[in-house]
Amino acid sequence: MINTSVDICGIKFKNPVTTASGTFGSGREFADFVDLNRLGAITVKGVASRPWKGNNSPRIAEVYGGMLNSVGLQNPGAEYFIKNDIPFLKQFDTKIIVNICGHSIEEYCEAAEMLSEADVDLFELNISCPNVSQGGITFGTEPKMAEKVVSSVKKYSKKPLIVKLTPNVTDITEIARAAVSGGADGISLINTLLGMKIDIKKRKSVLANKVGGFSGPAIKPVAVRMVYQVANAVNVPIIGMGGILNYEDALEFIMAGASAVAVGTANFNNPYATVDIIDGIENFMLENNIKDINDIRGIIG
Amino acid sequence: MKYIEYADILENTEIENTIYRMTLVCPKIAKEAKAGQFVELYTGIGECLLPRPISINEIDAKNGRITIIYQTVGKGTQYFSTLKNNLKIMGSCGNGFSIDQNIKKSIVVGGGIGIPPLVELCKNIKGDIEIFLGAKTKPILIEKLSEFGKVYVSSDDGSYGFKGNVVELIESVKPEGEIIYSCGPKIMLRELSKWAEKNKIKAQVSLEERMACGIGACVGCAVKVKKDGDWQNLKVCKDGPVFMSDEVIWDD
């Protein structure tokens, strides 16, 4: 028998695999392909206190080794989410992580308060989206602001609070420490890298928003490095993500110090990606005589 | 229900310069597919991470086959044109056309590489059909679509049929009908939408947008649609690709 279960802020995941917010909808969209019961947790698309319309199209650009997006956190709002998505998700034996977004501290707090009454397991505070002009990333690049937003939301949050960090900073450990001192129960990283693609025939940016978040396998080395640095800087569980395509990638994050991993862009390339990765991790453990996934967490030292 | 199938390729031939027809064996997808829907094609090459949405040209549910017609415009479609054996596909995606069988006279309009899905559409329309096709040069599938009704043709350069765009062609013919079904570039659909509004004919437009997942998860393919005096972004892949033209907000 092998143990693949992990503890994330007091919540037990049956395995370390979840989804990256914004790439898996609310799970429903992938239910034709993935047995959602298999997932350690489902991290849903960002939810705000009220509906957000998002950015103009085009919002997607494919680039070498990944893609850019500038969706701008379009979402139907917490009320809709609580009424429509949670009952769906509760049918499955998996944990629910709600990604929370906002334009201001007040909006983050409002969303956290609304969702605290809902039957979900964890919050992931999105202070790192590069595609919204207010809030989002601005809270994730200034350590003092990060600490302030986390400590404010913490007051309204009745669920363990994971804080999602942006890689678009000089020193990722500084922000991670600030989030933890603000009361973060866990850290997830990395959100997308800010990127751009230009259509040389049209002489303009492919994305209507001009810039967008770069995700996909090309960003993985940056993500693994940052997870490693943060794992050595703070003492809370980490959900690692950024370019994970297969189980080997997932194991790199775990060996770098992540307790769990999130699969994002890979879901577009292969709708079975999450389950393939779960199977792959189990097989790797069996083949390499690893009895407990927690034994290899942060093993690179 | 959507399926992923590793489809055998029965045919993958260039029917016009840079335009290919591919017939795929995918019984599950073919069984549930309908006119105006699309499939996602996976390249399997790292450079092209995202699947390519391609409209379904014809469905043969009985034999478990679909046909697609695509143009080689980039690395992904270039790669598809080299394939001989099989291809990973997902489908069928999107809402498809909403076909009212009681309508006696329909107008079908296609532009450029937006013409292929109109074949399956026409197969399913009862009653009379008038078909308008436009392209930069000679439109594709003129002969095939002639099986279903009278075909009017335009080309931007005047090399074939009416010289001008397809909406100018329609304006010159002034067809009558109870509904318009259309697929083509957004600018064509926008002009067609104005013509339809002026002539008080309801129009279904099949849109395209850059997309990633194809199943409504990533919210990448937004289109602005009217809602209670305001507007909202809907998803081309899931809420569409077919919308009522008077609901779409046609800004650039």
Side-chain angles (χ1 to χ4, degrees):
Chain A
M1 272 299 280
I2 55 167
N3 174 49
T4 58
S5 72
V6 295
D7 184 301
I8 304 293
C9 317
I11 306 292
K12 190 179 172 188
F13 292 9
K14 68 178 78 165
N15 63 57
V17 177
T18 183
T19 56
S21 178
T23 65
F24 208 70
S26 60
R28 199 192 301 266
E29 292 80 356
F30 278 85
D32 283 351
F33 309 111
V34 174
D35 176 2
L36 301 178
N37 296 301
R38 301 256 352 247
L39 303 178
I42 293 174
T43 307
V44 301
K45 179 161 174 52
V47 181
S49 56
R50 275 177 265 276
W52 289 15
K53 287 178 173 175
N55 293 329
N56 284 345
S57 288
R59 294 172 167 186
I60 301 286
E62 189 177 62
V63 294
Y64 202 101
M67 63 178 281
L68 304 177
N69 88 81
S70 65
V71 170
L73 291 171
Q74 180 182 334
N75 78 91
E79 212 172 299
Y80 179 95
F81 172 77
I82 290 167
K83 201 171 150 209
N84 293 279
D85 292 331
I86 294 177
F88 171 80
L89 287 164
K90 291 310 290 182
Q91 300 171 78
F92 301 96
D93 176 23
T94 186
K95 303 300 176 190
I96 304 170
I97 305 176
V98 185
N99 183 282
I100 293 178
C101 47
H103 292 115
S104 62
I105 289 181
E106 291 70 31
E107 282 188 27
Y108 280 115
C109 291
E110 198 183 351
E113 193 174 21
M114 290 167 81
L115 291 156
S116 278
E117 303 309 319
D119 194 2
V120 300
D121 298 289
L122 292 147
F123 288 159
E124 178 179 64
L125 192 67
N126 184 356
I127 56 166
S128 47
C129 179
N131 293 320
V132 291
S133 52
Q134 295 171 295
I137 200 169
T138 52
F139 290 103
T141 51
E142 272 285 319
K144 283 199 174 70
M145 275 301 280
E147 186 174 343
K148 193 175 167 198
V149 67
V150 173
S151 63
S152 305
V153 172
K154 192 72 187 157
K155 288 181 201 137
Y156 293 89
S157 169
K158 292 183 188 164
K159 313 284 178 188
L161 189 66
I162 297 165
V163 177
K164 186 167 179 178
L165 304 185
T166 172
N168 303 309
V169 291
T170 312
D171 182 356
I172 191 76
T173 61
E174 206 184 351
I175 299 286
R177 284 195 192 96
V180 172
S181 79
D185 300 299
I187 296 286
S188 62
L189 76 166
I190 60 176
N191 205 318
T192 53
L193 288 150
L194 199 56
M196 190 170 188
K197 180 184 169 80
I198 291 165
D199 183 328
I200 57 168
K201 285 182 187 151
K202 292 182 182 160
R203 301 182 180 193
K204 61 179 203 176
S205 183
V206 173
L207 298 173
N209 200 41
K210 292 198 169 65
V211 297
F214 179 27
S215 64
I219 73 165
K220 195 192 70 179
V222 177
V224 173
R225 181 263 297 177
M226 287 191 163
V227 164
Y228 172 71
Q229 288 178 321
V230 170
N232 284 291
V234 298
N235 228 341
V236 296
I238 293 168
I239 302 179
M241 69 194 80
I244 296 175
L245 276 189
N246 51 43
Y247 78 91
E248 291 101 323
D249 296 339
L251 287 165
E252 281 194 53
F253 280 86
I254 290 168
M255 290 188 186
S259 294
V261 295
V263 180
T265 301
N267 292 305
F268 308 149
N269 176 256
N270 169 20
Y272 302 126
T274 45
V275 173
D276 287 352
I277 290 167
I278 293 165
D279 291 342
I281 290 172
E282 282 176 16
N283 287 336
F284 180 86
M285 288 173 69
L286 290 169
E287 281 167 14
N288 293 277
N289 200 25
I290 299 162
K291 292 197 171 56
D292 188 334
I293 188 78
N294 296 290
D295 291 346
I296 57 169
R297 184 175 65 241
I299 198 151
I300 65 159
Chain B
M1 179 100 182
K2 290 182 185 65
Y3 304 94
I4 292 173
E5 294 191 83
Y6 294 85
D8 281 341
I9 297 170
L10 295 181
E11 178 202 16
N12 189 16
T13 48
E14 191 169 15
I15 56 168
E16 298 278 348
N17 187 27
T18 73
I19 294 176
Y20 289 73
R21 180 175 59 223
M22 190 191 280
T23 302
L24 296 156
V25 182
C26 47
K28 289 177 184 163
I29 293 171
K31 197 177 168 202
E32 293 189 22
K34 52 182 269 211
Q37 289 190 308
F38 65 95
V39 284
E40 287 272 41
L41 276 57
Y42 296 89
T43 66
I45 51 176
E47 212 178 316
C48 301
L49 208 65
L50 301 176
R52 271 52 180 166
I54 307 281
S55 68
I56 301 173
N57 165 237
E58 287 192 73
I59 302 159
D60 177 357
K62 196 168 130 236
N63 293 305
R65 296 169 186 179
I66 64 164
T67 302
I68 56 172
I69 291 180
Y70 63 96
Q71 187 163 26
T72 50
V73 290
K75 288 194 184 102
T77 44
Q78 210 80 52
Y79 172 77
F80 296 138
S81 73
T82 65
L83 296 175
K84 289 184 174 64
N85 301 318
N86 54 60
L87 177 61
K88 181 177 158 187
I89 68 170
M90 187 242 290
S92 49
C93 303
N95 59 355
F97 289 105
S98 170
I99 304 170
D100 183 343
Q101 304 291 10
N102 299 317
I103 282 176
K104 294 196 172 58
K105 200 162 181 210
S106 304
I107 300 167
V108 170
V109 186
I113 199 65
I115 294 171
L118 303 178
V119 174
E120 186 61 33
L121 167 75
C122 286
K123 275 199 221 166
N124 288 279
I125 295 177
K126 304 271 190 293
D128 294 341
I129 313 175
E130 280 192 301
I131 300 158
F132 295 83
L133 305 178
K136 285 194 180 112
T137 57
K138 185 185 171 186
I140 57 170
L141 299 169
I142 298 170
E143 204 176 315
K144 179 75 197 172
L145 284 160
S146 308
E147 292 173 22
F148 308 103
K150 180 160 187 190
V151 178
Y152 299 86
V153 180
S154 71
S155 56
D156 294 349
D157 65 358
S159 62
Y160 196 89
F162 177 89
K163 184 179 180 186
N165 67 47
V166 75
V167 181
E168 290 165 346
L169 169 66
I170 293 169
E171 179 55 33
S172 77
V173 175
K174 294 189 170 43
E176 286 175 10
E178 294 160 74
I179 190 157
I180 298 170
Y181 300 100
S182 59
C183 184
K186 198 166 183 182
I187 189 158
M188 174 203 115
L189 298 175
R190 187 186 66 194
E191 294 309 306
L192 180 65
S193 163
K194 287 179 196 162
W195 187 87
E197 198 184 329
K198 200 174 76 191
N199 291 278
K200 298 189 172 53
I201 306 173
K202 285 273 178 193
Q204 294 183 22
V205 291
S206 180
L207 301 177
E208 64 173 356
E209 189 49 72
R210 286 171 182 271
M211 53 179 75
C213 71
I215 54 176
C218 73
V219 203
C221 55
V223 55
K224 285 181 185 166
V225 172
K226 292 172 194 161
K227 188 197 177 190
D228 314 328
D230 192 12
W231 61 272
Q232 63 179 333
N233 273 314
L234 291 183
K235 302 162 192 168
V236 170
C237 73
K238 194 179 173 187
D239 305 308
V242 181
F243 295 89
M244 295 309 296
S245 72
D246 55 0
E247 290 173 1
V248 175
I249 296 174
W250 298 97
D251 56 3
D252 299 315

